[in-house]
């Protein structure tokens, strides 16, 4: 699960105390203030999700763009329940023991895509290390259900690393989504602190595998800033992504979820720095680049896909 899709409106300072204490709220800079959207789609989206018993990463991960997306009739769907088997230190999702898979979930999700008239459907999940295939088959069944119900809709899946299982990689990639997304999240130097159960090289290997196995599928990845990295390290990570053929990249500001187990924001990167970084990343040859404070991997994913031509 990704902070590209899972940060709250409130960044927070580091605190001491029990794991259940919420960190103190830290004042946001002016460029991280969001206006309330005026679109009318929220009630329609909420009603559809409730009726079909579906969850979204927007709600589960407390994304700051949630109201904006819903006001435009959009949602990024969350498969396989809200409980993650990992404990990444940037993530708002709850860790715990997930329940069994819901065999009817792919069909219900496809129905929601059709009812909402989505032109581009984004599907992600928590990490399900408890499952033999990490949930890869569930992703594949969901892609197939959407293809059958809404053949004109493009599909983007944002997948975990499946613990490095190449059979699971193959199952998910061979479902042939239009976009195969796996977030690198942070720079290699910070992995032990930010993503202790993940591996920088393993994530790169998954994206390389996807590109080699299904070269017509767009590969995509996302990074956060504000966790103590240098911007030069972000560029180095982007170079590593291009070296394995990744087509599309997103970079956004990390905002600490209201949980004492998550890491504090080290720095708020200015819009001017984001603009300079975007220019540098475009020079690396990516087909699509989205780089600004509120960018998240699933936010405006349709627009990002359309820029690919």
């Amino acid at each position: 699960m990704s902070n590209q899709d899972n940060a709250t409106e409130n960044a927070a300072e580091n605190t001491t105390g029990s794991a259940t204490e919420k960190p103190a709220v830290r004042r946001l800079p002016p460029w991280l203030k969001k206006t309330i959207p005026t679109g009318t789609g929220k009630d329609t989206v909420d009603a559809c999700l409730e009726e079909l018993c579906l969850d979204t990463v927007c709600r589960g991960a407390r994304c700051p763009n949630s109201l904006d997306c819903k006001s435009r009739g959009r949602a990024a769907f969350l498969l396989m329940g809200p409980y993650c088997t990992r404990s990444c230190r940037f993530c708002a999702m709850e860790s715990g023991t997930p329940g069994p898979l819901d065999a009817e979930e792919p069909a219900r999700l496809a129905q929601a895509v059709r009812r909402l008239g989505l032109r581009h459907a984004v599907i992600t999940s928590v990490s399900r290390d408890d499952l033999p295939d990490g949930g890869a088959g569930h992703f594949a069944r969901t892609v197939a259900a959407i293809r059958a119900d809404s053949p004109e809709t493009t599909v983007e899946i944002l997948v975990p690393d499946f613990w490095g299982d190449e059979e699971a990689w193959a199952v998910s990639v061979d479902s042939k989504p239009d976009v195969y997304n796996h977030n690198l999240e942070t720079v290699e130097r910070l992995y032990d602190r930010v993503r202790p159960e993940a591996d920088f090289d393993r994530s790169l290997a998954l994206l390389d595998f996807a590109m080699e196995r299904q070269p017509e599928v767009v590969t995509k990845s996302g990074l956060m800033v504000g966790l103590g990295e240098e911007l030069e390290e972000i560029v180095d990570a982007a170079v590593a992504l291009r070296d394995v053929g990744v087509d599309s990249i997103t970079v956004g500001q990390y905002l600490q979820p209201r949980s004492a187990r998550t890491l504090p924001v080290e720095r708020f990167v200015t819009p001017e720095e984001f603009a300079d970084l975007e220019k540098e990343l475009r020079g690396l040859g990516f087909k699509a680049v989205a780089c600004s404070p509120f960018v998240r991997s699933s936010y405006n994913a349709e627009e990002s896909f359309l820029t690919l031509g």
Side-chain angles (χ1 to χ4, degrees):
M1 181 53 52
S2 164
N3 183 259
Q4 298 285 324
D5 302 296
N6 94 63
T8 61
E9 294 91 336
N10 296 314
E13 295 176 337
N14 197 17
T15 60
T16 58
S18 73
T20 59
E21 289 181 10
K22 291 182 179 179
V25 175
R26 181 178 177 183
R27 186 178 298 276
L28 295 175
W31 62 84
L32 285 173
K33 306 290 186 180
K34 294 213 77 168
T35 58
I36 298 175
T38 58
T40 59
K42 181 180 182 301
D43 290 344
T44 299
V45 172
D46 285 341
C48 180
L49 295 171
E50 182 176 1
E51 181 180 339
L52 295 174
C53 300
L54 296 171
D55 205 352
T56 65
V57 69
C58 323
R59 177 173 59 189
R62 305 169 195 164
C63 178
N65 303 310
S66 178
L67 288 177
D68 184 17
C69 289
K70 283 186 177 181
S71 73
R72 292 185 285 158
R74 298 178 178 181
F77 299 98
L78 181 71
L79 287 174
M80 296 182 263
Y83 296 107
C84 188
T85 53
R86 299 190 189 178
S87 301
C88 296
R89 296 201 63 205
F90 61 84
C91 187
M93 301 300 298
E94 292 187 51
S95 297
T97 303
L101 291 182
D102 180 350
E104 301 303 317
E105 184 178 46
R108 293 200 312 275
L109 195 151
Q111 186 179 349
V113 168
R114 175 169 47 81
R115 285 173 52 172
L116 293 173
L118 297 181
R119 294 172 298 186
H120 186 80
V122 180
I123 301 100
T124 188
S125 80
V126 292
S127 291
R128 288 294 305 260
D129 299 324
D130 59 308
L131 299 173
D133 69 349
H138 206 69
F139 269 107
R141 289 186 287 274
T142 302
V143 174
I146 295 171
R147 296 282 193 225
D149 227 19
S150 302
E152 300 302 315
T153 297
T154 51
V155 181
E156 178 170 335
I157 60 173
L158 172 55
V159 300
D161 64 16
F162 303 113
W163 210 249
D165 181 349
E166 290 196 6
E167 289 186 14
W169 291 0
V171 168
S172 61
V173 174
D174 288 348
S175 68
K176 294 186 178 180
D178 297 277
V179 181
Y180 192 87
N181 189 349
H182 173 71
N183 285 332
L184 205 55
E185 305 292 10
T186 191
V187 301
E188 185 173 14
R189 176 175 61 85
L190 297 180
Y191 254 62
D192 286 347
R193 183 164 69 97
V194 177
R195 306 188 71 196
E197 296 159 290
D199 182 84
F200 186 87
D201 289 333
R202 185 166 69 212
S203 286
L204 287 175
L206 167 57
L207 290 161
D208 185 36
F209 180 94
M211 189 277 297
E212 291 289 341
R213 190 172 179 92
Q214 297 290 351
E216 73 280 10
V217 172
V218 172
T219 49
K220 179 178 177 181
S221 190
L223 291 154
M224 303 173 277
V225 294
L227 280 162
E229 73 293 323
E230 299 294 334
L231 291 184
E232 291 80 4
E233 291 179 292
I234 292 290
V235 175
D236 290 343
V239 169
L241 289 169
R242 278 301 298 144
D243 285 346
V244 297
V246 169
D247 302 299
S248 179
I249 188 170
T250 61
V251 183
Q253 172 71 52
Y254 168 67
L255 298 176
Q256 184 184 9
R258 297 291 301 279
S259 167
R261 71 173 175 81
T262 55
L263 293 167
V265 177
E266 296 286 341
R267 185 168 82 91
F268 294 119
V269 176
T270 67
E272 293 76 19
E273 289 175 294
F274 271 109
D276 289 343
L277 181 60
E278 178 168 328
K279 183 177 180 180
E280 190 161 2
L281 297 188
R282 288 190 182 280
L284 297 178
F286 289 99
K287 296 177 183 177
V289 178
C291 188
S292 70
F294 280 114
V295 161
R296 300 292 183 267
S297 195
S298 298
Y299 183 48
N300 288 333
E302 179 181 341
E303 287 78 2
S304 179
F305 179 72
L306 291 174
T307 66
L308 296 166

